[in-house]
Amino acid sequence: MKTYSIALIPGDGIGPTVTDAAWQVVEAVARGSGFALEGTRLPWSCDLYLETGAMMPEDGIAVLRDHDAILLGAVGWPAKVPDSISLHGLLLPIRKAFRQYANIRPHRLLPGVEGPLRKSEFDILCVRENTEGEYSGAGGRVHQGSADEVAVETAIFTRKGVERILRFGFEQARKRRGKLASVTKSNAQRHSMVFWDEVTRELGREYADVEVTSYHIDAMAARMVMAPETLDVVVASNLFGDVLTDLGAAIQGGLGFAASANLNPDRTTPSMFEPVHGSAPDIAHLGIANPIAAIWSASMMLDHLGEADAAIRIIGAIERVTARGIGTVPGKHKTDEITRAVLAALD
């Protein structure tokens, strides 16, 4: 029997709760699908930072490297630790060390979920560059606290980085409906974004079977609201993709349904799977966090590991549960209720 080694990083706030829910579901589906999961729980979080001064141990990357995948809950507790520390101390180092350059987030309405738009028939896959661009961390501050203070943040775009994320997007479009939307702001950012547009056109000649359209970020935001059904695969830089995927979560009914994968497409290092919703410290003690995004993310993990049938079973169970109105309204059902319903729907 094939056994997959999974690193579990529950994190902060509601992270442990939704991670436990997702783990129950993937363990249940594994038992009936001919493979096994071996989970290693790692207590890396803001609490660890307060104890040790680090979000993860010095050998954290080496520890993770020995696993087949990483399932993350949520990281961050701004009242305790600034987000700039928690993000740069855990998530970004993992993404960069393991070359998880493709962040993918599916956006569609689950059965029984009412989104805020009049449109409902949309199925968008957002592909976000995940390791460079605006989040490269290049820059600095001088004369801090004085009237002459200067802050510089430099976006880094490499041909290798831009080409590989666009190529990944083109490949996804080929598997779906054959349409790719490339997002920039090249009318204002005449170096990095013009460069991105040029690489898009170059690759478009290779993928003649894919319909390519280039949008500015503001126009894409409007299109996701006004005509989301016209979109298939959307590819964007680290910052633009980050913004658009929160908009995507909104139109699919909220962050409780927003799943994501941080992929190393060449599979030489572990990929990481996480819900988009964050740690939500204000409701962490209430037991009402929606675990669907975490369960959906865990399904994406199984699909990446090659267990496509098991992944499809989980998505089918989620859809049957939401079609009955369970987990579709924030706070209406407890985390445990939704989890039990998904487990029952697997059978």
Side-chain angles (χ1 to χ4, degrees):
M1 180 183 290
K2 176 68 175 178
T3 300
Y4 300 100
S5 175
I6 310 299
L8 301 173
I9 308 178
D12 301 298
I14 64 172
T17 302
V18 299
T19 301
D20 287 347
W23 189 245
Q24 288 181 57
V25 173
V26 292
E27 280 198 310
V29 80
R31 286 193 292 270
S33 301
F35 64 92
L37 299 170
E38 183 178 278
T40 301
R41 194 178 182 97
L42 302 170
W44 302 349
S45 62
C46 288
D47 283 340
L48 181 68
Y49 178 84
L50 293 174
E51 292 174 13
T52 67
M55 292 293 297
M56 63 177 171
E58 286 187 13
D59 64 346
I61 296 299
V63 169
L64 294 174
R65 195 178 296 276
D66 293 333
H67 293 82
D68 295 307
I70 304 161
L71 185 61
L72 182 92
V75 174
W77 200 298
K80 298 180 179 180
V81 178
D83 283 341
S84 58
I85 290 176
S86 59
L87 180 66
H88 286 272
L90 189 60
L91 289 182
L92 293 188
I94 293 172
R95 290 172 177 173
K96 292 176 181 179
F98 294 140
R99 297 185 300 281
Q100 296 170 351
Y101 65 82
N103 179 270
I104 62 173
R105 301 183 182 183
H107 301 297
R108 63 182 179 86
L109 280 175
L110 292 169
V113 177
E114 290 188 14
L117 304 181
R118 288 175 294 176
K119 309 283 187 177
S120 60
E121 297 301 319
F122 59 87
D123 182 358
I124 304 170
L125 184 70
C126 278
V127 177
R128 165 190 170 193
E129 201 291 315
N130 211 31
T131 58
E132 54 176 48
E134 304 90 347
Y135 294 176
S136 298
R141 293 170 64 182
V142 295
H143 310 303
Q144 291 188 43
S146 76
D148 298 317
E149 184 168 1
V150 177
V152 176
E153 194 86 36
T154 303
I156 305 294
F157 290 88
T158 66
R159 177 167 287 274
K160 179 179 179 180
V162 174
E163 182 173 320
R164 69 186 179 185
I165 195 63
L166 283 165
R167 192 177 293 281
F168 181 85
F170 274 108
E171 293 293 339
Q172 297 304 305
R174 273 185 169 172
K175 297 174 185 177
R176 289 167 53 93
R177 303 192 304 278
K179 296 170 64 178
L180 181 135
S182 176
V183 181
T184 65
K185 189 61 177 170
S186 51
N187 58 341
Q189 295 174 286
R190 60 182 185 175
H191 303 300
S192 60
M193 296 287 95
V194 169
F195 168 58
W196 182 295
D197 284 347
E198 290 172 355
V199 177
T200 301
R201 287 192 293 271
E202 290 171 14
L203 287 180
R205 290 191 285 271
E206 260 185 70
Y207 292 87
D209 54 322
V210 175
E211 178 187 338
V212 185
T213 308
S214 290
Y215 294 91
H216 292 147
I217 176 67
D218 41 356
M220 174 53 69
R223 179 164 288 270
M224 287 182 68
V225 172
M226 301 300 294
E229 76 282 358
T230 65
L231 299 169
D232 182 16
V233 175
V234 175
V235 186
S237 69
N238 215 332
L239 173 61
F240 291 170
D242 194 1
V243 174
L244 288 176
T245 50
D246 266 24
L247 177 56
I251 67 172
Q252 74 181 114
L255 289 169
F257 307 107
S260 80
N262 302 277
L263 299 182
N264 175 330
D266 63 18
R267 300 171 186 270
T268 56
T269 58
S271 293
M272 180 166 61
F273 304 82
E274 57 173 318
V276 178
H277 52 55
S279 60
D282 57 321
I283 64 167
H285 62 293
L286 300 178
I288 59 171
N290 191 336
I292 287 176
I295 296 169
W296 193 341
S297 300
S299 169
M300 295 173 74
M301 178 184 74
L302 295 186
D303 185 62
H304 182 71
L305 292 172
E307 301 296 343
D309 290 344
I312 291 170
R313 281 188 63 199
I314 292 175
I315 294 299
I318 291 172
E319 290 177 336
R320 286 189 286 277
V321 166
T322 59
R324 293 163 46 205
I326 299 174
T328 59
V329 178
K332 183 177 179 181
H333 297 96
K334 297 285 189 179
T335 308
D336 289 346
E337 291 180 79
I338 301 170
T339 305
R340 288 195 299 270
V342 174
L343 287 169
L346 286 173
D347 300 328

